[in-house]
Short mmCIF file of all heavy atoms in Angstrom, two decimals:
data_model
loop_
_atom_site.label_atom_id
_atom_site.label_comp_id
_atom_site.label_asym_id
_atom_site.label_seq_id
_atom_site.Cartn_x
_atom_site.Cartn_y
_atom_site.Cartn_z
N PRO A 216 213.83 146.43 187.75
CA PRO A 216 213.38 145.59 186.63
C PRO A 216 213.64 144.10 186.84
O PRO A 216 213.16 143.28 186.07
CB PRO A 216 214.19 146.14 185.45
CG PRO A 216 214.47 147.56 185.80
CD PRO A 216 214.71 147.53 187.28
N ASN A 217 214.38 143.77 187.87
CA ASN A 217 214.63 142.35 188.18
C ASN A 217 213.69 141.81 189.25
O ASN A 217 213.80 140.65 189.65
CB ASN A 217 216.08 142.16 188.63
CG ASN A 217 217.08 142.43 187.50
OD1 ASN A 217 216.88 141.98 186.38
ND2 ASN A 217 218.13 143.18 187.81
N SER A 218 212.78 142.66 189.73
CA SER A 218 211.82 142.22 190.75
C SER A 218 210.83 141.22 190.17
O SER A 218 210.56 141.20 188.95
CB SER A 218 211.06 143.43 191.29
OG SER A 218 211.92 144.35 191.92
N GLU A 219 210.25 140.41 191.05
CA GLU A 219 209.19 139.50 190.65
C GLU A 219 207.89 140.29 190.46
O GLU A 219 207.64 141.26 191.20
CB GLU A 219 208.98 138.42 191.71
CG GLU A 219 210.09 137.38 191.77
CD GLU A 219 210.21 136.60 190.46
OE1 GLU A 219 209.17 136.14 189.95
OE2 GLU A 219 211.34 136.48 189.96
N PRO A 220 207.05 139.91 189.49
CA PRO A 220 205.78 140.63 189.31
C PRO A 220 204.86 140.45 190.51
O PRO A 220 204.67 139.34 191.00
CB PRO A 220 205.19 139.99 188.04
CG PRO A 220 205.87 138.67 187.91
CD PRO A 220 207.23 138.83 188.50
N THR A 221 204.31 141.56 190.99
CA THR A 221 203.35 141.55 192.09
C THR A 221 202.23 142.50 191.74
O THR A 221 202.47 143.69 191.51
CB THR A 221 204.02 142.01 193.41
OG1 THR A 221 205.12 141.15 193.71
CG2 THR A 221 203.01 141.95 194.56
N LEU A 222 201.02 142.01 191.68
CA LEU A 222 199.88 142.81 191.24
C LEU A 222 199.48 143.80 192.33
O LEU A 222 198.94 143.42 193.36
CB LEU A 222 198.70 141.91 190.89
CG LEU A 222 197.50 142.59 190.21
CD1 LEU A 222 197.93 143.22 188.89
CD2 LEU A 222 196.39 141.58 189.97
N LYS A 223 199.77 145.08 192.07
CA LYS A 223 199.44 146.13 193.03
C LYS A 223 198.42 147.13 192.49
O LYS A 223 197.77 147.83 193.26
CB LYS A 223 200.71 146.89 193.42
CG LYS A 223 201.72 146.04 194.18
CD LYS A 223 202.89 146.90 194.64
CE LYS A 223 203.87 146.07 195.48
NZ LYS A 223 204.98 146.90 196.01
N PHE A 224 198.31 147.18 191.17
CA PHE A 224 197.45 148.18 190.54
C PHE A 224 196.57 147.49 189.50
O PHE A 224 197.08 146.83 188.59
CB PHE A 224 198.30 149.27 189.87
CG PHE A 224 199.28 149.92 190.78
CD1 PHE A 224 200.55 149.36 190.96
CD2 PHE A 224 198.96 151.06 191.48
CE1 PHE A 224 201.47 149.94 191.82
CE2 PHE A 224 199.88 151.65 192.34
CZ PHE A 224 201.13 151.09 192.51
N ILE A 225 195.26 147.64 189.65
CA ILE A 225 194.32 147.02 188.70
C ILE A 225 193.45 148.11 188.09
O ILE A 225 192.81 148.89 188.79
CB ILE A 225 193.42 145.97 189.39
CG1 ILE A 225 194.25 144.94 190.14
CG2 ILE A 225 192.55 145.28 188.34
CD1 ILE A 225 193.42 143.91 190.89
N ASP A 226 193.47 148.16 186.77
CA ASP A 226 192.65 149.10 186.00
C ASP A 226 191.48 148.31 185.41
O ASP A 226 191.66 147.55 184.47
CB ASP A 226 193.51 149.75 184.92
CG ASP A 226 192.75 150.74 184.06
OD1 ASP A 226 191.52 150.85 184.20
OD2 ASP A 226 193.38 151.40 183.21
N PHE A 227 190.31 148.49 185.98
CA PHE A 227 189.13 147.76 185.54
C PHE A 227 188.33 148.60 184.56
O PHE A 227 187.76 149.63 184.93
CB PHE A 227 188.21 147.43 186.72
CG PHE A 227 188.62 146.23 187.52
CD1 PHE A 227 189.13 146.38 188.79
CD2 PHE A 227 188.49 144.95 187.00
CE1 PHE A 227 189.50 145.28 189.55
CE2 PHE A 227 188.86 143.85 187.75
CZ PHE A 227 189.37 144.01 189.02
N LYS A 228 188.28 148.17 183.31
CA LYS A 228 187.27 148.69 182.39
C LYS A 228 186.10 147.72 182.50
O LYS A 228 186.13 146.62 181.96
CB LYS A 228 187.81 148.77 180.97
CG LYS A 228 188.76 149.93 180.78
CD LYS A 228 189.17 150.08 179.34
CE LYS A 228 189.88 151.41 179.12
NZ LYS A 228 191.01 151.62 180.04
N LEU A 229 185.09 148.14 183.19
CA LEU A 229 184.00 147.24 183.58
C LEU A 229 182.99 147.06 182.46
O LEU A 229 181.79 147.23 182.63
CB LEU A 229 183.32 147.77 184.85
CG LEU A 229 184.23 147.84 186.08
CD1 LEU A 229 183.58 148.64 187.19
CD2 LEU A 229 184.58 146.45 186.56
N GLY A 230 183.50 146.73 181.27
CA GLY A 230 182.62 146.57 180.12
C GLY A 230 182.39 147.90 179.44
O GLY A 230 182.90 148.95 179.83
N ASN A 231 181.58 147.87 178.38
CA ASN A 231 181.32 149.10 177.62
C ASN A 231 179.91 149.64 177.84
O ASN A 231 179.42 150.44 177.05
CB ASN A 231 181.58 148.88 176.12
CG ASN A 231 180.60 147.89 175.49
OD1 ASN A 231 179.78 147.27 176.18
ND2 ASN A 231 180.69 147.73 174.18
N VAL A 232 179.27 149.21 178.93
CA VAL A 232 177.93 149.73 179.24
C VAL A 232 178.04 151.23 179.52
O VAL A 232 178.77 151.66 180.42
CB VAL A 232 177.34 149.01 180.46
CG1 VAL A 232 176.01 149.64 180.87
CG2 VAL A 232 177.14 147.53 180.16
N CYS A 233 177.36 152.02 178.70
CA CYS A 233 177.47 153.47 178.82
C CYS A 233 176.19 154.11 178.29
O CYS A 233 175.52 153.57 177.40
CB CYS A 233 178.68 153.98 178.04
SG CYS A 233 179.05 155.73 178.34
N ASN A 234 175.89 155.28 178.83
CA ASN A 234 174.69 156.01 178.41
C ASN A 234 175.00 157.12 177.41
O ASN A 234 174.10 157.83 176.98
CB ASN A 234 173.98 156.60 179.63
CG ASN A 234 174.88 157.51 180.45
OD1 ASN A 234 176.10 157.38 180.42
ND2 ASN A 234 174.29 158.44 181.17
N LEU A 235 176.29 157.28 177.05
CA LEU A 235 176.67 158.33 176.11
C LEU A 235 177.31 157.74 174.85
O LEU A 235 177.76 156.60 174.84
CB LEU A 235 177.66 159.31 176.76
CG LEU A 235 177.19 160.06 178.01
CD1 LEU A 235 178.23 161.10 178.41
CD2 LEU A 235 175.83 160.72 177.80
N LYS A 236 177.37 158.59 173.82
CA LYS A 236 178.02 158.23 172.55
C LYS A 236 178.94 159.39 172.17
O LYS A 236 178.65 160.17 171.26
CB LYS A 236 176.98 157.99 171.46
CG LYS A 236 175.99 156.89 171.78
CD LYS A 236 175.01 156.65 170.63
CE LYS A 236 173.97 157.74 170.53
NZ LYS A 236 172.92 157.42 169.51
N CYS A 237 180.05 159.51 172.89
CA CYS A 237 180.95 160.65 172.69
C CYS A 237 181.60 160.57 171.30
O CYS A 237 181.92 159.49 170.81
CB CYS A 237 182.03 160.66 173.77
SG CYS A 237 181.35 160.74 175.44
N ARG A 238 181.81 161.74 170.70
CA ARG A 238 182.34 161.79 169.34
C ARG A 238 183.72 161.13 169.21
O ARG A 238 184.06 160.61 168.15
CB ARG A 238 182.42 163.25 168.87
CG ARG A 238 181.07 163.89 168.61
CD ARG A 238 180.50 163.50 167.27
NE ARG A 238 179.16 164.06 167.06
CZ ARG A 238 178.66 164.33 165.85
NH1 ARG A 238 179.36 164.09 164.77
NH2 ARG A 238 177.44 164.82 165.75
N ILE A 239 184.51 161.18 170.28
CA ILE A 239 185.86 160.61 170.21
C ILE A 239 185.90 159.19 170.75
O ILE A 239 186.97 158.66 171.08
CB ILE A 239 186.87 161.49 170.97
CG1 ILE A 239 186.45 161.66 172.43
CG2 ILE A 239 187.01 162.84 170.27
CD1 ILE A 239 187.51 162.34 173.28
N CYS A 240 184.75 158.56 170.84
CA CYS A 240 184.66 157.20 171.35
C CYS A 240 184.13 156.29 170.23
O CYS A 240 184.06 156.66 169.07
CB CYS A 240 183.75 157.16 172.58
SG CYS A 240 183.83 155.61 173.52
N GLY A 241 183.78 155.06 170.59
CA GLY A 241 183.24 154.11 169.63
C GLY A 241 182.71 152.89 170.35
O GLY A 241 182.62 152.86 171.59
N SER A 242 182.39 151.86 169.60
CA SER A 242 181.75 150.67 170.17
C SER A 242 182.64 149.97 171.19
O SER A 242 182.16 149.25 172.06
CB SER A 242 181.37 149.69 169.05
OG SER A 242 182.51 149.34 168.28
N TRP A 243 183.97 150.18 171.09
CA TRP A 243 184.89 149.53 172.02
C TRP A 243 184.68 150.00 173.47
O TRP A 243 185.01 149.29 174.41
CB TRP A 243 186.34 149.77 171.60
CG TRP A 243 186.74 151.21 171.55
CD1 TRP A 243 187.26 151.96 172.57
CD2 TRP A 243 186.65 152.09 170.43
NE1 TRP A 243 187.50 153.24 172.15
CE2 TRP A 243 187.14 153.35 170.85
CE3 TRP A 243 186.22 151.93 169.10
CZ2 TRP A 243 187.20 154.45 169.99
CZ3 TRP A 243 186.29 153.03 168.25
CH2 TRP A 243 186.77 154.26 168.69
N SER A 244 184.11 151.21 173.66
CA SER A 244 183.93 151.74 175.02
C SER A 244 182.51 152.18 175.32
O SER A 244 182.25 152.69 176.41
CB SER A 244 184.87 152.92 175.27
OG SER A 244 186.19 152.48 175.47
N SER A 245 181.59 151.99 174.39
CA SER A 245 180.22 152.45 174.61
C SER A 245 179.23 151.52 173.93
O SER A 245 179.24 151.35 172.71
CB SER A 245 180.04 153.87 174.07
OG SER A 245 178.67 154.22 174.02
N SER A 246 178.33 150.95 174.73
CA SER A 246 177.28 150.10 174.19
C SER A 246 176.32 150.91 173.32
O SER A 246 175.77 150.39 172.33
CB SER A 246 176.51 149.42 175.33
OG SER A 246 176.07 150.39 176.30
N LYS A 247 176.13 152.17 173.66
CA LYS A 247 175.27 153.04 172.84
C LYS A 247 175.89 153.26 171.46
O LYS A 247 175.19 153.27 170.44
CB LYS A 247 175.07 154.39 173.55
CG LYS A 247 174.21 154.33 174.80
CD LYS A 247 172.74 154.12 174.47
CE LYS A 247 171.88 154.26 175.70
NZ LYS A 247 170.45 154.01 175.42
N TRP A 248 177.21 153.44 171.44
CA TRP A 248 177.90 153.60 170.16
C TRP A 248 177.81 152.32 169.34
O TRP A 248 177.63 152.35 168.11
CB TRP A 248 179.38 153.94 170.38
CG TRP A 248 179.80 155.31 169.95
CD1 TRP A 248 180.35 156.27 170.72
CD2 TRP A 248 179.71 155.87 168.63
NE1 TRP A 248 180.62 157.40 169.97
CE2 TRP A 248 180.24 157.17 168.69
CE3 TRP A 248 179.24 155.39 167.41
CZ2 TRP A 248 180.31 158.01 167.57
CZ3 TRP A 248 179.31 156.22 166.29
CH2 TRP A 248 179.83 157.52 166.38
N ALA A 249 177.93 151.17 170.00
CA ALA A 249 177.87 149.89 169.29
C ALA A 249 176.55 149.77 168.53
O ALA A 249 176.51 149.37 167.36
CB ALA A 249 178.04 148.73 170.26
N GLN A 250 175.46 150.14 169.20
CA GLN A 250 174.16 150.07 168.55
C GLN A 250 174.05 151.05 167.38
O GLN A 250 173.50 150.73 166.33
CB GLN A 250 173.03 150.34 169.55
CG GLN A 250 171.63 150.12 168.99
CD GLN A 250 171.43 148.72 168.45
OE1 GLN A 250 171.57 147.74 169.19
NE2 GLN A 250 171.12 148.59 167.16
N GLU A 251 174.62 152.24 167.55
CA GLU A 251 174.59 153.22 166.46
C GLU A 251 175.40 152.73 165.26
O GLU A 251 174.96 152.88 164.10
CB GLU A 251 175.12 154.57 166.94
CG GLU A 251 175.06 155.65 165.86
CD GLU A 251 175.26 157.06 166.39
OE1 GLU A 251 174.83 157.35 167.52
OE2 GLU A 251 175.85 157.88 165.66
N GLU A 252 176.56 152.12 165.50
CA GLU A 252 177.37 151.60 164.41
C GLU A 252 176.64 150.47 163.68
O GLU A 252 176.76 150.34 162.45
CB GLU A 252 178.71 151.12 164.95
CG GLU A 252 179.62 152.27 165.39
CD GLU A 252 180.92 151.78 166.01
OE1 GLU A 252 181.21 150.57 165.93
OE2 GLU A 252 181.66 152.61 166.57
#
């Protein structure tokens, strides 16, 4: 925990462009859901 921060792992959510509208999802992760909302 005393180490200097070094970026080794990157989790890219590459936007919410999606072709599905899963029931447990929403506009935050699906462009299709955004339009439905």
Side-chain angles (χ1 to χ4, degrees):
N217 294 315
S218 298
E219 288 298 312
T221 302
L222 189 60
K223 295 185 177 184
F224 306 87
I225 307 177
D226 180 353
F227 279 109
K228 284 186 168 53
L229 297 168
N231 66 354
V232 174
C233 189
N234 58 335
L235 300 187
K236 301 182 286 187
C237 302
R238 290 280 177 152
I239 58 171
C240 192
S242 57
W243 60 89
S244 285
S245 167
S246 52
K247 290 287 188 182
W248 247 121
Q250 187 57 59
E251 182 166 326
E252 289 176 10

